[in-house]
Amino acid sequence: GENVEQHPSTLSVQEGDSAVIKCTYSDSASNYFPWYKQELGKRPQLIIDIRSNVGEKKDQRIAVTLNKTAKHFSLHITETQPEDSAVYFCAASMGGQGFSFIFGKGTRLLVKP
Amino acid sequence: DGGITQSPKYLFRKEGQNVTLSCEQNLNHDAMYWYRQDPGQGLRLIYYSQIVNDFQKGDIAEGYSVSREKKESFPLTVTSAQKNPTAFYLCASSNRVEAFFGQGTRLTVV
């Protein structure tokens, strides 16, 4: 079936360093790729998204890149801060008869001060 | 996020009891989902529904049941057959251009 793989499952970086989280998807009809941030005990919140007609999108310290040929997309966080510590989820829209979104399993990011 | 509401926020259950978690959305989304999240872990799909009166098992459906009698509602019942039900439960809804999560229900078996 369709799938979204997310790596790594945990990531630890020093404050100020960059963090990269990668996802791959299987449905070639996918055309929308959101990223969510979940702080402890709270719901995942949408932080950035990208559509298939765009290769890169930036919003301050976060950016997302998309490679449709390779079917992978990545979240980049620069100049990481302790408040970036959270669980991050990727997702991909499904174009076929399957359910409309598949979520990655999540990456726990820890930013050490 | 959007108009998706889960209730209650905290729920305590005695062993051997069934409990039902509520999820309601007013976003006119066709698809709804239930995920389980254990401490420090990612999302595991329990059930999902693409349209009213239809739902499919996810990766960990054993010990859970759902219904989708209305587009707005997708309640999850945690039955006594679920051996380790203590977890954080997240509901989500989507169409093909957006997806939102509810605020979650933390279920504890006492």
Side-chain angles (χ1 to χ4, degrees):
Chain A
E2 304 300 350
N3 195 29
V4 171
E5 297 279 347
Q6 183 172 346
H7 298 281
S9 57
T10 59
L11 179 59
S12 181
V13 300
Q14 209 62 40
E15 183 178 358
D17 288 349
S18 295
V20 180
I21 302 169
K22 299 181 180 181
C23 288
T24 59
Y25 61 97
S26 57
D27 185 357
S28 56
S30 294
N31 58 15
Y32 174 61
F33 308 90
W35 285 89
Y36 298 84
K37 175 183 179 181
Q38 185 187 27
E39 297 178 347
L40 192 64
K42 297 185 178 180
R43 74 175 85 190
Q45 300 266 13
L46 179 69
I47 55 170
I48 194 168
D49 55 19
I50 191 167
R51 299 191 185 273
S52 59
N53 58 346
V54 176
E56 183 176 5
K57 183 176 179 180
K58 287 185 179 180
D59 183 2
Q60 298 182 26
R61 294 187 298 108
I62 61 172
V64 57
T65 58
L66 171 64
N67 183 329
K68 286 219 72 179
T69 303
K71 295 183 188 172
H72 68 71
F73 56 112
S74 300
L75 178 71
H76 304 253
I77 306 174
T78 59
E79 300 173 18
T80 53
Q81 301 168 4
E83 52 264 38
D84 294 330
S85 296
V87 179
Y88 292 82
F89 297 96
C90 64
S93 66
M94 296 291 108
Q97 293 298 312
F99 56 105
S100 52
F101 269 90
I102 293 183
F103 296 93
K105 287 186 164 47
T107 297
R108 176 169 293 279
L109 173 65
L110 175 63
V111 180
K112 300 177 183 176
Chain B
D1 268 7
I4 179 167
T5 303
Q6 285 184 244
S7 62
K9 189 173 181 180
Y10 299 97
L11 187 57
F12 297 88
R13 188 194 93 173
K14 292 182 179 180
E15 283 194 30
Q17 286 183 336
N18 293 355
V19 288
T20 297
L21 283 59
S22 170
C23 181
E24 304 276 333
Q25 54 98 2
N26 61 6
L27 301 166
N28 201 34
H29 286 168
D30 287 317
M32 297 186 75
Y33 317 75
W34 274 106
Y35 288 92
R36 170 180 172 142
Q37 190 175 35
D38 293 288
Q41 304 298 313
L43 301 175
R44 290 193 288 169
L45 183 63
I46 306 172
Y47 269 97
Y48 66 97
S49 168
Q50 300 172 66
I51 57 172
V52 175
N53 293 322
D54 184 61
F55 48 84
Q56 306 294 330
K57 292 182 179 180
D59 301 322
I60 56 164
E62 185 175 353
Y64 300 97
S65 66
V66 293
S67 62
R68 188 84 187 275
E69 298 177 1
K70 298 186 300 181
K71 189 175 187 177
E72 302 79 19
S73 179
F74 191 41
L76 173 74
T77 297
V78 184
T79 75
S80 56
Q82 170 50 236
K83 299 305 178 188
N84 186 22
T86 294
F88 188 56
Y89 291 86
L90 279 165
C91 177
S93 71
S94 77
N95 53 25
R96 293 197 183 277
V97 296
E98 62 183 13
F100 295 115
F101 287 89
Q103 70 268 43
T105 293
R106 187 167 299 281
L107 173 64
T108 303
V109 173
V110 296

